[in-house]
Amino acid sequence: MTYGRRTFRKPAALSVIVLILSLVTGAQARAQLSLLGSLTSTTQQLLSPLDPLLGAVTGLVAKLSGDLGALLGGPADQPVAVIVQTYNPPGSTELNLLNLLGGLLKTTYTAIPGYSATVPLGSLLQLANDSNVERISLDSPVKAHLDVAYRAVRADRVASLSGGWGAGLTGRGVGIALIDTGVQLHPDFKRPIGSKPIVEVEIVGHETGLADYFGHGTHVAGILYGNGYASSDSLSFRTFRGLAPDAQLISLRALSPDGTGYTSDIITGIDWVVKNARYYNIRVLNLSLGHPVYESYLTDPLCRAVAAAVRKGIVVVVAAGNDGTVGTGFGTITSPGNSPDAVTVGAMDDRNTVPLADDVLAGYSSKGPSLIDFVVKPDLVAPGTWIVSARAVSSWLDTQHHELTLQIGDYKNDPAHATQDGAYYSLSGTSMAAPMVAGAAALMLQKDPTLNPATVKARLMKSAVKDTRMVFETGAGTLDAYAAVNATGYAQNAKSPLAMAAGDGFVYIQDTAILWGSTWTQGAIWGGGKGSAAGVSLTPVPQSITYGSGAIWGGTGGAKSTLDNPAVAGSGAIWGGGRSSLDSTSGTVTDDGAIWGGDPDNRK
């Protein structure tokens, strides 16, 4: 794979000389020729000592993310918020250099070696010149992206199953971390004396106790953890319950009261989760947030932090993004949803019915493949449209969109209070779909605490209800929590496969049976009719391709990988940049092992 880099070139001296020659003729030209040759030689001699310097500058610029490099040339004293990744944990030498360059340290990380800081624009290349600096990325802004849905994913049947902690699978004993806008105390979050309360960690804001000024985190927490208390009395005819009401919820407030924040704060939250995972038995992390993909997941600091959490045994569930209406919607997965290690969740519209037959892909749900790396995403989908969950009273969402608030009469037979505001509101987005999958993961881990993140992800995808949409739209299908907790099979690796657009118009997808193990076949993961609704068929790759490209297809000649032919294959906005290495089905394949082989992001 090739990446665009800003390059520095020597002045085109010969072009200037040609222009001059065109202005002189005859004897005068011959008389000038010797002089011009001398000038050319002198110019090249003057420029040649600059070659190493120009090469060094090019190497330093290559350490910057594309969006950060684009700022070069601006005012030297302009402060820029950055995330600096280092080969080794930063020490006094690196931090003293930061100070000398006029930088201001924000925080250091342990999940990934590095730190976040504000640095003058004119000092970026000097900072990049530090031999311990691997990558400097812009501290990108991030933003936050049930009753019927509860039964649609068959969570009601899971609650009747027995688990390792007694009757019923309710998430008991499993810690779920939620990095979001915080959580407001809600009737559905109250627990009996002696139960573990919600743990609140302030990455931004330092108020005492639970707080959520935007209202997003509270709603997500209700899908994960709500027990339905406010809608379970004798007057209630609808009960809004979360998937894992007996789990331990750890709320990390890393987004501001307007629902936005910075990548550096999200990484700080992930850092805290990794450090405290054992104490709180945190096995699941929900990230209903993201930012556009600006660089490869191999260098994106947020994706690297997600990979670090997965290596620590934490299932990281991420919202796919809400940009499905941008253009064709393809290639709109946000970071860190582009991480192959994450469980990336798109959204379905369940039409407020329990049967799945009438469900449709929500128009806003972002589609794959991911930009730059072409990771096949989302991994699966879950209900995300008009999801009823806990209301954060007087929050921004509650006051600015009060029409979303349910009245008590919407779920209780209580004529005296029917028109009063209730305890719930209804929101839509992949932010709502992600906690359904995160909650299901907690139930799986309650039943079998020995499961690793790869096995949880593989089982979630294999047990999903199959459909005929394209893999870049609905992934492996729609969440089925009941089937997921009863699924079998083990995987040591379940990285989402990569896709490539070939010159013949086909899209080639890595074989999960090779990546994850022979039991996780393409048919088992995607289903036999995948893509047929769009006139697409998934078929084995011809042996002419697989025989000649072992580095791409896992080293197994003739292995069956999928082959897709969707309209997305022709989208230059996704596949641009000359990143396709497959020319045709004739077998002309370049060895792109750096992308398709090995495990390049498995940094310890």
Side-chain angles (χ1 to χ4, degrees):
M1 183 174 288
T2 59
Y3 297 93
R5 294 179 177 176
R6 179 175 298 188
T7 58
F8 296 81
R9 302 180 62 183
K10 295 185 294 185
L14 292 178
S15 298
V16 176
I17 292 172
V18 170
L19 176 61
I20 295 175
L21 279 173
S22 68
L23 300 178
V24 293
T25 58
Q28 185 180 4
R30 291 191 296 271
Q32 296 291 334
L33 203 54
S34 177
L35 176 60
L36 291 173
S38 177
L39 285 173
T40 301
S41 177
T42 302
T43 301
Q44 291 176 339
Q45 290 177 14
L46 289 172
L47 292 175
S48 59
L50 296 178
D51 286 345
L53 177 59
L54 293 174
V57 172
T58 302
L60 296 180
V61 173
K63 287 188 176 184
L64 309 182
S65 62
D67 53 340
L68 184 58
L71 299 178
L72 292 178
D77 59 350
Q78 176 184 334
V80 182
V82 298
I83 298 172
V84 181
Q85 297 180 72
T86 55
Y87 292 103
N88 298 305
S92 58
T93 301
E94 289 80 11
L95 300 183
N96 286 337
L97 173 62
L98 174 67
N99 185 58
L100 288 173
L101 294 176
L104 180 64
L105 178 69
K106 183 176 182 180
T107 188
T108 58
Y109 302 121
T110 56
I112 57 172
Y115 59 90
S116 58
T118 301
V119 182
L121 186 59
S123 298
L124 278 177
L125 294 184
Q126 291 172 274
L127 185 62
N129 194 42
D130 182 354
S131 60
N132 193 32
V133 170
E134 180 184 7
R135 184 77 171 178
I136 306 179
S137 302
L138 196 65
D139 188 1
S140 303
V142 296
K143 62 180 180 179
H145 290 322
L146 253 123
D147 63 326
V148 169
Y150 179 80
R151 287 180 287 135
V153 299
R154 298 208 293 173
D156 55 330
R157 294 191 63 183
V158 179
S160 66
L161 296 176
S162 61
W165 297 87
L169 290 178
T170 57
R172 184 178 299 276
V174 179
I176 304 176
L178 170 63
I179 300 179
D180 213 288
T181 59
V183 170
Q184 186 182 101
L185 188 61
H186 186 278
D188 286 6
F189 300 159
K190 293 180 180 179
R191 298 295 186 268
I193 296 175
S195 300
K196 293 182 178 180
I198 297 175
V199 175
E200 175 81 358
V201 179
E202 284 85 16
I203 306 300
V204 298
H206 301 285
E207 298 84 352
T208 301
L210 301 178
D212 179 9
Y213 300 110
F214 186 63
H216 183 271
T218 300
H219 193 273
V220 173
I223 300 170
L224 286 169
Y225 175 76
N227 64 5
Y229 177 83
S231 55
S232 295
D233 61 15
S234 60
L235 299 177
S236 298
F237 56 87
R238 298 172 70 188
T239 299
F240 307 106
R241 184 180 296 111
L243 273 80
D246 288 333
Q248 164 97 76
L249 183 66
I250 300 92
S251 168
L252 295 97
R253 182 148 44 108
L255 295 179
S256 300
D258 63 354
T260 66
Y262 289 93
T263 299
S264 57
D265 293 324
I266 306 304
I267 296 176
T268 298
I270 296 175
D271 227 33
W272 189 97
V273 170
V274 170
K275 289 178 183 177
N276 294 276
R278 178 170 296 183
Y279 183 81
Y280 292 104
N281 194 34
I282 300 174
R283 302 296 308 278
V284 182
L285 168 60
N286 189 94
L287 297 173
S288 289
L289 48 82
H291 66 67
V293 173
Y294 297 118
E295 56 186 309
S296 167
Y297 74 85
L298 295 172
T299 57
D300 184 324
L302 190 52
C303 289
R304 282 185 163 181
V306 164
V310 172
R311 288 196 296 271
K312 290 295 184 179
I314 300 170
V315 178
V316 182
V317 181
V318 181
N322 296 339
D323 295 325
T325 58
V326 177
T328 64
F330 292 106
T332 57
I333 299 291
T334 57
S335 170
N338 60 322
S339 168
D341 296 285
V343 182
T344 304
V345 186
M348 295 295 286
D349 182 349
D350 62 14
R351 304 292 182 92
N352 287 324
T353 65
V354 173
L356 296 177
D358 63 346
D359 289 8
V360 296
L361 179 70
Y364 56 78
S365 187
S366 289
K367 305 172 188 176
S370 70
L371 294 181
I372 300 179
D373 301 299
F374 317 131
V375 184
V376 177
K377 293 287 184 174
D379 295 302
L380 73 164
V381 292
T385 302
W386 301 119
I387 302 300
V388 177
S389 185
R391 167 193 172 209
V393 178
S394 298
S395 65
W396 188 91
L397 285 173
D398 187 38
T399 57
Q400 299 300 312
H401 295 280
H402 197 67
E403 72 278 4
L404 301 176
T405 299
L406 271 67
Q407 295 182 336
I408 290 178
D410 291 327
Y411 56 93
K412 283 189 179 185
N413 290 313
D414 186 0
H417 304 94
T419 59
Q420 294 182 6
D421 290 342
Y424 305 95
Y425 49 27
S426 177
L427 300 177
S428 300
T430 56
S431 284
M432 284 65 251
M436 294 205 175
V437 174
L443 303 181
M444 296 168 69
L445 290 162
Q446 178 191 357
K447 183 179 181 182
D448 185 355
T450 68
L451 300 182
N452 63 9
T455 298
V456 171
K457 178 178 178 178
R459 289 186 182 184
L460 281 167
M461 293 177 68
K462 186 176 182 179
S463 62
V465 179
K466 306 308 173 190
D467 58 52
T468 57
R469 306 287 302 200
M470 290 194 290
V471 292
F472 301 128
E473 295 178 306
T474 58
T478 304
L479 169 70
D480 184 336
Y482 181 75
V485 298
N486 288 295
T488 58
Y490 292 88
Q492 289 300 315
N493 168 42
K495 292 181 182 295
S496 303
L498 306 183
M500 296 179 72
D504 56 10
F506 289 97
V507 174
Y508 292 78
I509 301 174
Q510 282 181 305
D511 191 343
T512 51
I514 295 176
L515 295 177
W516 304 357
S518 58
T519 60
W520 309 100
T521 63
Q522 297 281 4
I525 299 300
W526 309 118
K530 197 65 180 173
S532 60
V536 173
S537 62
L538 302 181
T539 59
V541 171
Q543 291 184 352
S544 59
I545 289 288
T546 57
Y547 279 150
S549 55
I552 292 179
W553 302 108
T556 305
K560 290 186 177 181
S561 297
T562 58
L563 143 25
D564 205 346
N565 190 17
V568 69
S571 177
I574 300 172
W575 304 102
R579 299 187 179 95
S580 174
S581 295
L582 293 172
D583 294 329
S584 72
T585 51
S586 65
T588 304
V589 183
T590 62
D591 186 343
D592 209 352
I595 301 173
W596 295 86
D599 188 11
D601 67 328
N602 191 20
R603 300 169 68 251
K604 302 301 182 184

